Amino acid sequence: MSNTIEFCEVEKRYGERTVVDRLTFHVRTGECFGLLGPNGAGKTTTLKMLLGIAEPDAGTIALCGKAIPAHARLARQRTGVVPQFDNLDPDFTVSENLLVFGRYFGLSTSKARAMVPGLLEFARLEHKADARVSELSGGMKRRLTLARSLINDPDVLIMDEPTTGLDPQARHLIWERLRSLLARGKTLLLTTHFMEEAERLCDRLCIIDEGRKIAEGAPDELIESEIGCEVIEVYGASPAALRDELTPLAARTEISGETLFCYVNDAGPINARLEGRPGLRYLHRPANLEDVFLRLTGREMQD
Ligand code: ADP
């Protein structure tokens, strides 16, 4: 299996600060790979280096078989980019935004025009072809930005937080559209701080914190290897007192903020202990990537 993206021992410093620290990951052709981490972890900087927009201080990068930044222009011909913030032209219509973008890739007007119906269909925006961008909802704008990134029929899509700021319904539609791209054989790289997004979409991911990789693998494998059991979240009382009481009944416990996390192979004894206790709320759920992050860093990913 070949790699569409190779990122080896890459470093980026701003002044005294190392914001990407000897980061290594590979994205296989045809997979969806996630860069997961809290705000400030270095995700956007990593994408900028991959696209040749920011220069690394050390390490090697290849995108679609081209060395970056030396051959970034060539690699960009095979790449679609979805930036974190939509930069559509508000004065143009939906169709015009697609056509104008085609020119950036040197597409002839007739070729760009031929692409538009398929892209509108992909974005579920056929009925909005002549609407101005300013009339679109946030979800529609995101879908248009995604469709626009496909104008050059790229092999790989690089997306910075593709669903940040969207409501759950709009987010689900983007996920469904991204899955359709995977079915068409595209390679996807996305950054996110949404666990659910990473768990649902990504074949593999790496979790980064303060510029460093702290875990890498398939979501379910990471959850199994790092956590390997279920979780009961308890809140509504002093977490320290709860921990003293419940630790003997759990495989492991962890406090984050006001919540006690009990990692359990058998939820029965803790559920029985907490049942009916006034003022306490508790939630029994499968382990997730947030638990992996908490385990590895001692804090929650989302503040
Ligand atoms: P993320 O995308 O994970 O939120 P970023 O890559 O945007 O993280 O930022 C990583 C760190 O690098 C942050 O602390 C940010 O303040 C810093 N940073 C990003 N760009 C610059 C820059 N141009 N100059 C100085 N510091 C920067």
Side-chain angles (χ1 to χ4, degrees):
M1 199 182 293
S2 64
N3 292 326
T4 293
I5 294 171
E6 303 204 345
F7 213 76
C8 297
E9 295 282 314
V10 175
E11 264 188 54
K12 179 70 186 173
R13 290 184 289 276
Y14 285 119
E16 292 290 288
R17 235 175 118 217
T18 303
V19 298
V20 174
D21 194 355
R22 280 168 294 145
L23 182 63
T24 296
F25 65 90
H26 304 296
V27 180
R28 297 171 190 152
T29 301
E31 77 173 345
C32 180
F33 190 91
L35 286 176
L36 185 60
N39 285 331
K43 303 183 296 295
T44 301
T45 306
T46 297
L47 295 193
K48 283 184 177 164
M49 288 191 283
L50 181 60
L51 294 168
I53 301 165
E55 188 132 1
D57 293 300
T60 56
I61 303 171
L63 171 61
C64 297
K66 311 287 180 213
I68 306 291
H71 301 297
R73 272 177 68 98
L74 276 176
R76 290 283 293 271
Q77 294 287 329
R78 307 299 328 136
T79 304
V81 179
V82 179
Q84 191 169 344
F85 301 103
D86 294 321
N87 54 358
L88 300 159
D89 193 320
D91 298 325
F92 285 170
T93 66
V94 167
S95 291
E96 285 165 351
N97 265 276
L98 296 171
L99 287 170
V100 165
F101 208 67
R103 275 189 224 137
Y104 295 137
F105 284 93
L107 260 58
S108 67
T109 307
S110 59
K111 193 151 186 215
R113 269 190 206 290
M115 292 291 286
V116 168
L119 293 176
L120 289 174
E121 190 191 346
F122 169 81
R124 308 268 200 259
L125 287 174
E126 301 99 317
H127 59 303
K128 293 284 181 186
D130 299 320
R132 288 197 186 284
V133 162
S134 50
E135 297 164 26
L136 302 183
S137 69
M140 289 176 181
K141 284 184 191 154
R142 217 75 269 262
R143 298 203 306 275
L144 178 56
T145 304
L146 184 58
R148 191 186 65 168
S149 75
L150 301 171
I151 191 92
N152 57 326
D153 192 24
D155 299 326
V156 54
L157 268 180
I158 295 177
M159 296 171 281
D160 199 2
E161 307 213 352
T163 66
T164 293
L166 298 186
D167 62 41
Q169 206 180 356
R171 183 170 294 154
H172 277 273
L173 191 45
I174 295 281
W175 290 344
E176 190 266 322
R177 297 291 70 206
L178 294 181
R179 268 192 289 272
S180 79
L181 291 176
L182 284 170
R184 280 158 57 182
K186 307 282 185 202
T187 303
L188 307 186
L189 172 66
L190 60 91
T191 71
T192 185
H193 56 258
F194 292 117
M195 316 301 119
E196 196 194 349
E197 179 156 288
E199 279 187 46
R200 275 167 178 258
L201 277 179
C202 297
D203 298 299
R204 294 186 311 123
L205 53 88
C206 79
I207 304 180
I208 57 176
D209 185 36
E210 297 178 349
R212 270 183 236 113
K213 180 166 77 178
I214 58 171
E216 182 175 14
D220 52 351
E221 284 169 15
L222 277 177
I223 292 164
E224 182 57 33
S225 64
E226 296 293 339
I227 308 294
C229 58
E230 297 180 335
V231 184
I232 304 176
E233 288 184 28
V234 195
Y235 49 101
S238 151
L242 279 171
R243 181 178 56 189
D244 291 345
E245 180 185 349
L246 299 178
T247 294
L249 304 177
R252 197 166 57 81
T253 54
E254 197 114 42
I255 290 176
S256 183
E258 294 181 325
T259 305
L260 176 72
F261 293 80
C262 302
Y263 298 92
V264 293
N265 294 308
D266 173 10
I270 289 185
N271 280 338
R273 178 73 70 97
L274 297 179
E275 204 178 340
R277 197 175 301 181
L280 267 195
R281 300 188 65 184
Y282 57 99
L283 169 72
H284 177 203
R285 59 167 175 80
N288 61 31
L289 288 168
E290 180 97 39
D291 301 313
V292 174
F293 188 79
L294 179 63
R295 165 130 218 209
L296 295 175
T297 67
R299 57 176 221 282
E300 283 180 89
M301 188 159 348
Q302 289 181 60
D303 309 326

